[in-house]
Amino acid sequence: MLASLFSKTKPINYFIIAVLLILFYILFQKTTATVVWTGYEYVKKIGLLGLLMLSTFWVHFVTQKNRLTKDNNYAPLLFVLFLVLFPSVLVNTKLIIANYCIILALRRLFSLHSLKDPKIKIFDASLWIFIASIFHFWSILYVILLAFAILFFVSNDYRNWIIPIIAFITVAIFFSIYILATDTDILRFIDQSTEINFDFTVFDNVYQNIAVAVFSSIALLFFVSQALDLSNKPFNMQTSYKKILVSFLIAVAIYVLSADKNHGVLLFTFFPLSILGANYIESIPNRWFKEVVLSSIVALAFFFYFTQL
């Protein structure tokens, strides 16, 4: 059974997750992509697949390194299932890059509680957040989580509050060089990037609307259950779980504010929601109910994937 299979970190689990991602990625590219398949496009698609696989790896690495879940593979499996549920994510280059940068930033923020090299971690996290904002501006909202982490762990040193400013200046300098080299209209770029839209009725077909409704229900279940269970977590881990909850809320805010309400913007919610979902599945005492929950998510992901091809 699925829940039993992924309840432990086994090599076969990594193989299954990787094969799932590769197969569904290739199938969606072959059936829906309208690009001319030049050598550049092949390299680009392989690069994006590599970023998605690395993102899945970091999901598992961060959860296990920071003891955010038990020793299982639920989090990376859920991450891939969410990608399958919204396959249009698989062709959105900018969002895949932005989300990968955010995952790298979160990796540094979650490790900040160790208080080892905090300044380097703050700089790295800030750098990745500002880089992500170039590809999708509203990912800059993760500076809220950055401030949250500094406040809770290293606020006693005022220099830690200056480090994000230094990171911002660093990214701004290199981005300015790119703007000048490519003769990009910076005002138009800023205007398009910071556009806000609250129209949530822009999906192409009814299955996309249903997929969003199903995903929202799953997300609400995972978020509320783990928020209510927060007080039962070990005291020294509660701040880490708070960061997960805040990270999810920020991801929802990014979706709400983004001008383009396509499924791709939901990608920012997948990482924190995978951790919340893994904790929820772990907490289910009844083995059969645990199997039903995970099997249902798998079935729903597969169903909506094929309806959107």
Side-chain angles (χ1 to χ4, degrees):
M1 302 294 278
L2 285 174
S4 300
L5 176 63
F6 288 93
S7 63
K8 298 293 181 181
T9 52
K10 304 172 185 177
I12 185 64
N13 293 347
Y14 302 120
F15 176 77
I16 293 172
I17 292 171
V19 169
L20 276 176
L21 179 57
I22 293 171
L23 286 179
F24 283 110
Y25 180 84
I26 293 175
L27 179 61
F28 191 76
Q29 298 291 340
K30 290 295 185 181
T31 57
T32 63
T34 57
V35 299
V36 178
W37 287 98
T38 61
Y40 167 76
E41 284 298 329
Y42 276 109
V43 172
K44 176 184 174 182
K45 298 301 182 183
I46 292 172
L48 290 178
L49 176 59
L51 285 181
L52 289 171
M53 294 188 70
L54 283 172
S55 297
T56 307
F57 164 77
W58 286 121
V59 169
H60 177 69
F61 177 86
V62 173
T63 54
Q64 294 299 305
K65 183 74 172 179
N66 297 282
R67 296 178 289 115
L68 299 173
T69 65
K70 296 178 181 178
D71 187 21
N72 56 59
N73 289 126
Y74 292 142
L77 175 64
L78 288 172
F79 183 81
V80 170
L81 289 176
F82 292 147
L83 289 173
V84 173
L85 182 62
F86 297 113
S88 60
V89 173
L90 303 175
V91 294
N92 200 314
T93 303
K94 290 185 177 181
L95 286 172
I96 290 175
I97 296 174
N99 184 67
Y100 182 73
C101 292
I102 292 299
I103 290 177
L104 292 180
L106 293 176
R107 168 180 170 254
R108 299 303 260 171
L109 291 179
F110 280 118
S111 65
L112 196 58
H113 67 272
S114 68
L115 300 181
K116 182 180 179 181
D117 301 322
K119 290 179 174 57
I120 294 176
K121 293 177 180 178
I122 292 171
F123 180 80
D124 288 350
S126 304
L127 199 70
W128 286 119
I129 291 171
F130 292 130
I131 292 174
S133 68
I134 294 175
F135 294 95
H136 189 78
F137 175 77
W138 291 112
S139 56
I140 202 170
L141 292 177
Y142 276 96
V143 297
I144 298 172
L145 186 62
L146 175 65
F148 176 86
I150 295 174
L151 181 64
F152 270 82
F153 294 108
V154 288
S155 61
N156 57 320
D157 188 345
Y158 74 92
R159 290 174 295 182
N160 292 326
W161 295 100
I162 300 175
I163 292 173
I165 300 175
I166 297 174
F168 173 78
I169 294 172
T170 302
V171 173
I173 290 173
F174 283 100
F175 185 61
S176 298
I177 294 173
Y178 168 81
I179 291 295
L180 293 173
T182 57
D183 197 26
T184 301
D185 186 341
I186 185 63
L187 295 179
R188 182 181 179 186
F189 176 84
I190 294 175
D191 181 61
Q192 292 177 341
S193 299
T194 58
E195 185 179 353
I196 297 176
N197 179 17
F198 295 110
D199 182 8
F200 296 90
T201 61
V202 294
F203 300 117
D204 296 332
N205 57 61
V206 66
Y207 291 109
Q208 291 185 353
N209 286 320
I210 298 174
V212 172
V214 169
F215 177 76
S216 300
S217 301
I218 294 173
L220 187 63
L221 171 64
F222 289 168
F223 179 83
V224 172
S225 65
Q226 295 309 298
L228 294 176
D229 192 53
L230 184 61
S231 60
N232 296 322
K233 302 293 184 183
F235 182 76
N236 63 331
M237 293 295 297
Q238 288 186 12
T239 303
S240 294
Y241 287 107
K242 287 178 182 177
K243 283 190 285 188
I244 297 171
L245 296 172
V246 172
S247 177
F248 174 75
L249 292 175
I250 291 172
V252 172
I254 292 173
Y255 176 75
V256 171
L257 292 174
S258 296
D260 187 2
K261 292 291 187 295
N262 64 72
H263 291 161
V265 187
L266 292 171
L267 180 58
F268 294 104
T269 66
F270 293 177
F271 174 48
L273 198 59
S274 298
I275 300 174
L276 294 174
N279 277 273
Y280 173 76
I281 294 172
E282 289 172 357
S283 68
I284 299 175
N286 187 292
R287 182 169 64 89
W288 288 107
F289 185 59
K290 185 180 296 188
E291 294 287 353
V292 169
V293 170
L294 188 58
S295 298
S296 298
I297 295 174
V298 171
L300 288 168
F302 283 18
F303 172 78
F304 285 110
Y305 175 86
F306 286 107
T307 58
Q308 295 176 68
L309 287 180

